[in-house]
Amino acid sequence: MTGIRHPWLHRIMLALMALACLFLLAQFWFFAQVIWYQYKTPARTPIMQEQLDILRDKRPDAELQYRWVDYDRISASLKRAVIAAEDANFMQHGGIEWEAIRKAWDYNRQQREDGSSRVRGGSTITQQLAKNLFLSGTRSYLRKAQEMILAYMIEHVMDKERILELYLNVAEWGNGIFGAEAAARHYFGTSAAQLSSAQAARLAAMLPNPRYYDQHRNTRYLNGRTATLQQRMRMVDIP
């Protein structure tokens, strides 16, 4: 029996070692990319490419609306509104809010039991940036685990100002619309620097489901959420 077992055990160990090496190589690659984005502007993210492919299936000449703007050319109101909407403890946490993840898990489980399709995310701005810069929009436990690892890498390499600058420039704000500058021009005909507090709150309220709100811009929920964020953003610190 021992002579039969050992070859299989040996193969299993080799396979596990190979998987471990591949995992470590992938993490080294991701870490190098995080360092790259500390200094470089992203031209296009995986999620942007996904959306462009979808748009071009319907219209071959489709293009994304995306224009990078530096941190000091983005309205302070938008920075406050987005933090208020997406990650109230952004300035304090190290990349992940475990309590927020637990609450989102409990809420979503209850919604499933009630037959509701509503879901709540527990991701920080740093986690969302990790997903937007490196991963896809698909949902899986493996993708979520990688997102968390990337969030810690990002927080280790970048300061909060750079994290927020990147996030505001690559966040999706509608059908083929990415970044604060494109969003400001698409919805309000102005620049990201000139957004008013009401306009900033409206954009932040759209973030959980931007493609839907691109088509439904005056829902009761969106109006109420905008008003709530206008109140909250006054108390938000920004980098």
mmCIF file of all heavy atoms in Angstrom, residues 220-238:
data_model
loop_
_atom_site.group_PDB
_atom_site.id
_atom_site.type_symbol
_atom_site.label_atom_id
_atom_site.label_comp_id
_atom_site.label_asym_id
_atom_site.label_seq_id
_atom_site.Cartn_x
_atom_site.Cartn_y
_atom_site.Cartn_z
ATOM 1 N N ARG A 220 -37.023 58.569 -6.703
ATOM 2 C CA ARG A 220 -37.220 59.021 -5.318
ATOM 3 C C ARG A 220 -36.001 58.678 -4.458
ATOM 4 O O ARG A 220 -35.549 59.486 -3.649
ATOM 5 C CB ARG A 220 -38.470 58.377 -4.736
ATOM 6 C CG ARG A 220 -38.744 58.779 -3.280
ATOM 7 C CD ARG A 220 -40.004 58.130 -2.756
ATOM 8 N NE ARG A 220 -41.180 58.546 -3.523
ATOM 9 C CZ ARG A 220 -42.412 58.093 -3.286
ATOM 10 N NH1 ARG A 220 -42.607 57.191 -2.318
ATOM 11 N NH2 ARG A 220 -43.422 58.513 -4.002
ATOM 12 N N TYR A 221 -35.479 57.451 -4.645
ATOM 13 C CA TYR A 221 -34.309 57.047 -3.871
ATOM 14 C C TYR A 221 -33.122 57.954 -4.154
ATOM 15 O O TYR A 221 -32.437 58.400 -3.233
ATOM 16 C CB TYR A 221 -33.927 55.598 -4.181
ATOM 17 C CG TYR A 221 -32.590 55.216 -3.564
ATOM 18 C CD1 TYR A 221 -32.504 54.833 -2.232
ATOM 19 C CD2 TYR A 221 -31.412 55.281 -4.311
ATOM 20 C CE1 TYR A 221 -31.297 54.519 -1.652
ATOM 21 C CE2 TYR A 221 -30.188 54.961 -3.746
ATOM 22 C CZ TYR A 221 -30.137 54.582 -2.416
ATOM 23 O OH TYR A 221 -28.926 54.287 -1.851
ATOM 24 N N LEU A 222 -32.856 58.218 -5.425
ATOM 25 C CA LEU A 222 -31.697 59.023 -5.787
ATOM 26 C C LEU A 222 -31.810 60.433 -5.227
ATOM 27 O O LEU A 222 -30.830 60.998 -4.715
ATOM 28 C CB LEU A 222 -31.540 59.067 -7.309
ATOM 29 C CG LEU A 222 -30.226 59.654 -7.847
ATOM 30 C CD1 LEU A 222 -29.033 58.871 -7.333
ATOM 31 C CD2 LEU A 222 -30.242 59.660 -9.378
ATOM 32 N N ASN A 223 -32.993 61.002 -5.284
ATOM 33 C CA ASN A 223 -33.200 62.352 -4.736
ATOM 34 C C ASN A 223 -33.000 62.366 -3.220
ATOM 35 O O ASN A 223 -32.364 63.280 -2.674
ATOM 36 C CB ASN A 223 -34.600 62.853 -5.088
ATOM 37 C CG ASN A 223 -34.768 63.117 -6.570
ATOM 38 O OD1 ASN A 223 -33.792 63.389 -7.271
ATOM 39 N ND2 ASN A 223 -35.999 63.032 -7.068
ATOM 40 N N GLY A 224 -33.544 61.358 -2.542
ATOM 41 C CA GLY A 224 -33.395 61.290 -1.090
ATOM 42 C C GLY A 224 -31.956 61.044 -0.678
ATOM 43 O O GLY A 224 -31.454 61.656 0.279
ATOM 44 N N ARG A 225 -31.286 60.150 -1.383
ATOM 45 C CA ARG A 225 -29.887 59.844 -1.082
ATOM 46 C C ARG A 225 -29.006 61.070 -1.304
ATOM 47 O O ARG A 225 -28.092 61.336 -0.530
ATOM 48 C CB ARG A 225 -29.425 58.690 -1.975
ATOM 49 C CG ARG A 225 -27.981 58.268 -1.796
ATOM 50 C CD ARG A 225 -27.723 57.637 -0.457
ATOM 51 N NE ARG A 225 -26.412 57.027 -0.389
ATOM 52 C CZ ARG A 225 -25.785 56.728 0.727
ATOM 53 N NH1 ARG A 225 -26.359 56.985 1.897
ATOM 54 N NH2 ARG A 225 -24.595 56.168 0.706
ATOM 55 N N THR A 226 -29.298 61.833 -2.351
ATOM 56 C CA THR A 226 -28.541 63.060 -2.632
ATOM 57 C C THR A 226 -28.675 64.051 -1.484
ATOM 58 O O THR A 226 -27.683 64.647 -1.030
ATOM 59 C CB THR A 226 -29.030 63.703 -3.941
ATOM 60 O OG1 THR A 226 -28.802 62.794 -5.021
ATOM 61 C CG2 THR A 226 -28.287 65.003 -4.217
ATOM 62 N N ALA A 227 -29.893 64.230 -1.000
ATOM 63 C CA ALA A 227 -30.122 65.163 0.107
ATOM 64 C C ALA A 227 -29.394 64.703 1.370
ATOM 65 O O ALA A 227 -28.801 65.520 2.092
ATOM 66 C CB ALA A 227 -31.625 65.290 0.371
ATOM 67 N N THR A 228 -29.417 63.409 1.639
ATOM 68 C CA THR A 228 -28.731 62.878 2.819
ATOM 69 C C THR A 228 -27.229 63.110 2.724
ATOM 70 O O THR A 228 -26.586 63.527 3.704
ATOM 71 C CB THR A 228 -29.007 61.368 2.952
ATOM 72 O OG1 THR A 228 -30.406 61.161 3.132
ATOM 73 C CG2 THR A 228 -28.248 60.775 4.132
ATOM 74 N N LEU A 229 -26.651 62.860 1.557
ATOM 75 C CA LEU A 229 -25.214 63.039 1.382
ATOM 76 C C LEU A 229 -24.807 64.499 1.503
ATOM 77 O O LEU A 229 -23.716 64.807 2.009
ATOM 78 C CB LEU A 229 -24.772 62.477 0.035
ATOM 79 C CG LEU A 229 -24.817 60.950 -0.088
ATOM 80 C CD1 LEU A 229 -24.453 60.510 -1.494
ATOM 81 C CD2 LEU A 229 -23.891 60.294 0.933
ATOM 82 N N GLN A 230 -25.653 65.414 1.060
ATOM 83 C CA GLN A 230 -25.333 66.841 1.216
ATOM 84 C C GLN A 230 -25.183 67.219 2.676
ATOM 85 O O GLN A 230 -24.369 68.076 3.025
ATOM 86 C CB GLN A 230 -26.410 67.699 0.556
ATOM 87 C CG GLN A 230 -26.196 67.908 -0.926
ATOM 88 C CD GLN A 230 -27.087 68.994 -1.477
ATOM 89 O OE1 GLN A 230 -28.237 68.759 -1.835
ATOM 90 N NE2 GLN A 230 -26.557 70.199 -1.540
ATOM 91 N N GLN A 231 -25.951 66.574 3.536
ATOM 92 C CA GLN A 231 -25.823 66.829 4.962
ATOM 93 C C GLN A 231 -24.557 66.187 5.532
ATOM 94 O O GLN A 231 -23.826 66.783 6.297
ATOM 95 C CB GLN A 231 -27.065 66.283 5.699
ATOM 96 C CG GLN A 231 -28.351 66.972 5.323
ATOM 97 C CD GLN A 231 -28.367 68.447 5.699
ATOM 98 O OE1 GLN A 231 -27.893 68.829 6.760
ATOM 99 N NE2 GLN A 231 -28.917 69.285 4.818
ATOM 100 N N ARG A 232 -24.292 64.950 5.136
ATOM 101 C CA ARG A 232 -23.171 64.203 5.686
ATOM 102 C C ARG A 232 -21.822 64.757 5.239
ATOM 103 O O ARG A 232 -20.844 64.753 5.994
ATOM 104 C CB ARG A 232 -23.253 62.737 5.270
ATOM 105 C CG ARG A 232 -24.375 61.955 5.918
ATOM 106 C CD ARG A 232 -24.323 60.523 5.444
ATOM 107 N NE ARG A 232 -25.409 59.726 6.005
ATOM 108 C CZ ARG A 232 -25.657 58.463 5.665
ATOM 109 N NH1 ARG A 232 -24.879 57.870 4.780
ATOM 110 N NH2 ARG A 232 -26.663 57.817 6.214
ATOM 111 N N MET A 233 -21.732 65.210 4.010
ATOM 112 C CA MET A 233 -20.424 65.586 3.442
ATOM 113 C C MET A 233 -19.803 66.780 4.152
ATOM 114 O O MET A 233 -18.588 66.962 4.087
ATOM 115 C CB MET A 233 -20.536 65.851 1.930
ATOM 116 C CG MET A 233 -21.526 66.900 1.553
ATOM 117 S SD MET A 233 -21.946 66.878 -0.206
ATOM 118 C CE MET A 233 -20.539 67.734 -0.915
ATOM 119 N N ARG A 234 -20.609 67.547 4.841
ATOM 120 C CA ARG A 234 -20.079 68.705 5.564
ATOM 121 C C ARG A 234 -19.146 68.275 6.708
ATOM 122 O O ARG A 234 -18.291 69.041 7.150
ATOM 123 C CB ARG A 234 -21.221 69.525 6.158
ATOM 124 C CG ARG A 234 -22.193 70.083 5.106
ATOM 125 C CD ARG A 234 -23.390 70.719 5.762
ATOM 126 N NE ARG A 234 -24.385 71.149 4.793
ATOM 127 C CZ ARG A 234 -25.590 71.623 5.092
ATOM 128 N NH1 ARG A 234 -25.944 71.716 6.389
ATOM 129 N NH2 ARG A 234 -26.437 71.985 4.158
ATOM 130 N N MET A 235 -19.337 67.051 7.186
ATOM 131 C CA MET A 235 -18.550 66.565 8.328
ATOM 132 C C MET A 235 -17.387 65.673 7.923
ATOM 133 O O MET A 235 -16.702 65.096 8.768
ATOM 134 C CB MET A 235 -19.464 65.795 9.281
ATOM 135 C CG MET A 235 -20.615 66.622 9.826
ATOM 136 S SD MET A 235 -21.742 65.666 10.871
ATOM 137 C CE MET A 235 -22.620 64.688 9.630
ATOM 138 N N VAL A 236 -17.140 65.559 6.611
ATOM 139 C CA VAL A 236 -16.132 64.615 6.110
ATOM 140 C C VAL A 236 -14.780 65.304 5.957
ATOM 141 O O VAL A 236 -14.677 66.400 5.413
ATOM 142 C CB VAL A 236 -16.585 64.046 4.745
ATOM 143 C CG1 VAL A 236 -15.449 63.275 4.084
ATOM 144 C CG2 VAL A 236 -17.798 63.141 4.940
ATOM 145 N N ASP A 237 -13.738 64.628 6.442
ATOM 146 C CA ASP A 237 -12.368 65.085 6.200
ATOM 147 C C ASP A 237 -11.856 64.439 4.916
ATOM 148 O O ASP A 237 -12.166 63.282 4.612
ATOM 149 C CB ASP A 237 -11.454 64.669 7.357
ATOM 150 C CG ASP A 237 -11.776 65.428 8.637
ATOM 151 O OD1 ASP A 237 -12.190 66.595 8.542
ATOM 152 O OD2 ASP A 237 -11.636 64.819 9.720
ATOM 153 N N ILE A 238 -11.070 65.184 4.177
ATOM 154 C CA ILE A 238 -10.492 64.664 2.932
ATOM 155 C C ILE A 238 -8.978 64.796 2.969
ATOM 156 O O ILE A 238 -8.431 65.631 3.696
ATOM 157 C CB ILE A 238 -11.068 65.382 1.692
ATOM 158 C CG1 ILE A 238 -10.781 66.895 1.742
ATOM 159 C CG2 ILE A 238 -12.552 65.121 1.556
ATOM 160 C CD1 ILE A 238 -11.219 67.656 0.500
#
